[in-house]
Amino acid sequence: MAEAEEVKHYGVRGSPLSLRVDIALRLKGVKSKFCEEDLQNKSPSLIKYNPVHKKVPVLVHNEKPIAESLVILEYIDETWKHQGLPILPQDPYQRANARFWASFIDEKCSPAICKAYWEIEGHEKAMEEACELLQFLENELKDNKFFWGETIGFVDMAASFIGYWLRPIQEAVGVEVLTKEKCPKLHDWCDEFVSHSVVKEVLPPNKETLIAFFLGRCESTKLLAK
């Protein structure tokens, strides 16, 4: 790549979506500048580079912006194809399968988990649905360390919310949807995910801050365990 290459990541420390991008950049060995955003006071640069959604994360590569975390992961994989480790499988069927499960996590699992912990109406039903959806991921892991075998990849990055954030949420609320008994493989995957050398480099440093944040959210919705 050209020496003048510039890569900037507009994101928020503590965001699962920004974490996806951080992991991908580290996995590929891409040097980048992290631009911390205040979502209560969005910078002119964020609005300039993502005028449609005005959300993070946004990757800016030589002044060319790419929005949406999963789209960014694919862009990183394709742009630095011969650098670092692959993010998506090379086989077309496996690539399509990885995209399916990443979409499943974003469109089904994460919304169900948020609904289970932050919505009062239909809380019990939402908890059941979240458990059922996590079971699909449990089955998809099979006997692998990660979703793509022995190496961290696209689906693992997509599931970062489950891998790192779900446990602080469970601790804050006192109710568990992911346990060793219900989903032993997924539970072990969470341990493997947060222990991965690349992931450890970019995880938010203070888990207590996350727990305090979730406690505040739970208090506001009166879902704290009694």
Side-chain angles (χ1 to χ4, degrees):
M1 305 299 292
E3 290 184 8
E5 183 173 62
E6 183 181 42
V7 180
K8 293 183 287 186
H9 170 201
Y10 289 84
V12 173
R13 295 295 184 195
S15 162
L17 303 183
S18 291
L19 179 64
R20 293 173 175 179
V21 178
D22 281 337
I23 294 172
L25 290 169
R26 289 295 182 97
L27 200 67
K28 285 292 187 177
V30 178
K31 293 183 179 180
S32 63
K33 177 183 178 182
F34 185 82
C35 304
E36 180 79 32
E37 280 292 328
D38 178 359
L39 298 184
Q40 303 303 315
N41 184 25
K42 298 174 183 178
S43 72
S45 294
L46 177 64
I47 296 171
K48 169 189 172 182
Y49 290 127
N50 189 5
V52 176
H53 299 298
K54 301 179 178 66
K55 294 180 179 179
V56 297
V58 177
L59 187 78
V60 182
H61 181 203
N62 292 336
E63 287 303 308
K64 296 181 293 185
I66 306 96
E68 302 295 324
S69 62
L70 295 182
V71 176
I72 293 171
L73 296 190
E74 294 211 40
Y75 179 84
I76 292 171
D77 197 35
E78 293 170 7
T79 302
W80 292 278
K81 184 177 294 184
H82 303 296
Q83 186 172 319
L85 296 173
I87 294 171
L88 277 156
Q90 297 303 306
D91 177 76
Y93 173 76
Q94 292 180 345
R95 288 174 72 89
N97 202 41
R99 292 186 181 109
F100 169 84
W101 286 109
S103 295
F104 172 80
I105 290 165
D106 273 2
E107 296 171 11
K108 294 288 187 179
C109 288
S110 295
I113 292 169
C114 290
K115 184 177 180 181
Y117 283 108
W118 283 305
E119 290 191 16
I120 300 174
E121 187 174 347
H123 172 63
E124 293 299 329
K125 183 178 180 181
M127 293 290 289
E128 291 178 11
E129 181 184 0
C131 289
E132 290 174 2
L133 292 171
L134 290 176
Q135 192 63 51
F136 283 108
L137 294 179
E138 168 80 6
N139 297 337
E140 181 59 21
L141 271 167
K142 302 179 176 67
D143 293 320
N144 297 322
K145 179 186 290 188
F146 298 107
F147 283 97
W148 183 23
E150 295 299 305
T151 307
I152 195 170
F154 191 69
V155 180
D156 303 284
M157 296 176 202
S160 63
F161 173 71
I162 297 169
Y164 183 70
W165 274 262
L166 184 53
R167 288 181 180 178
I169 294 173
Q170 293 185 156
E171 184 175 342
V173 182
V175 178
E176 297 181 314
V177 295
L178 174 59
T179 65
K180 182 79 171 177
E181 292 71 32
K182 294 176 183 175
C183 297
K185 295 176 183 178
L186 191 59
H187 189 275
D188 289 346
W189 169 83
C190 291
D191 291 333
E192 293 287 353
F193 178 76
V194 298
S195 299
H196 190 280
S197 58
V198 171
V199 176
K200 285 169 69 175
E201 290 179 2
V202 296
L203 282 177
N206 192 342
K207 186 175 286 189
E208 286 71 26
T209 301
L210 285 177
I211 294 172
F213 169 78
F214 290 126
L215 277 171
R217 292 292 299 271
C218 295
E219 285 172 353
S220 68
T221 54
K222 298 180 173 59
L223 285 182
L224 279 171
K226 300 188 178 179

